[in-house]
Amino acid sequence: QRQLVESGGGSVQAGGSLRLSCAISSYSFSGRCMAWFRRAPGKEREEVAHIRSDGDTYYADSVKGRFTISRDTAVNTLTLQMNGLKPDDTATYYCAAGRSDGYCDVDWRLFPYWGQGTQVSVSS
């Protein structure tokens, strides 16, 4: 059983908005760093944003001011609100959970748990 399941992807025009959700099936993730990564065709996987268990957040420069990451521990959900979408945001977006010690990093190799991904396509 997959522990992270994304939803909310789709196709929008530039300037539009989408809201991605990640359902977390395990309460053992409550103390972990949670993140959204994306991978565009022909490009490396990159971290979009992460949020620590204390609520501290990080955003990649490319999405700062447009995207907002949040987590709701009551319903075990991670969310990425994406506004002002650009064609460069087109990618498969992945939810990821970090190590049990709560360590956060932009390096995808430090995240042991992943969702299956959801596609976001932005047309100009």
Side-chain angles (χ1 to χ4, degrees):
Q1 177 185 2
R2 188 175 290 275
Q3 294 174 293
L4 302 174
V5 179
E6 302 96 336
S7 61
S11 298
V12 296
Q13 290 190 324
S17 298
L18 284 173
R19 186 178 181 90
L20 305 184
S21 293
C22 175
I24 306 165
S25 65
S26 173
Y27 282 93
S28 67
F29 287 3
S30 62
R32 297 176 188 255
C33 177
M34 298 296 299
W36 288 96
F37 285 80
R38 68 185 180 187
R39 186 166 188 174
K43 294 187 178 180
E44 296 289 321
R45 187 174 350 190
E46 64 170 345
E47 187 184 62
V48 174
H50 69 232
I51 184 167
R52 301 177 188 272
S53 59
D54 63 2
D56 188 36
T57 57
Y58 160 87
Y59 296 93
D61 287 342
S62 58
V63 307
K64 203 171 293 183
R66 300 187 296 122
F67 290 11
T68 302
I69 188 172
S70 60
R71 66 195 296 173
D72 188 336
T73 55
V75 294
N76 243 10
T77 300
L78 180 73
T79 299
L80 185 68
Q81 178 66 43
M82 305 186 294
N83 299 327
L85 283 162
K86 305 175 180 179
D88 284 349
D89 295 319
T90 295
T92 301
Y93 285 70
Y94 299 90
C95 169
R99 298 172 351 192
S100 58
D101 62 3
Y103 180 73
C104 257
D105 198 277
V106 300
D107 187 346
W108 64 267
R109 292 167 292 185
L110 298 179
F111 287 79
Y113 298 95
W114 291 83
Q116 82 286 357
T118 186
Q119 179 66 37
V120 171
S121 298
V122 185
S123 58
S124 57

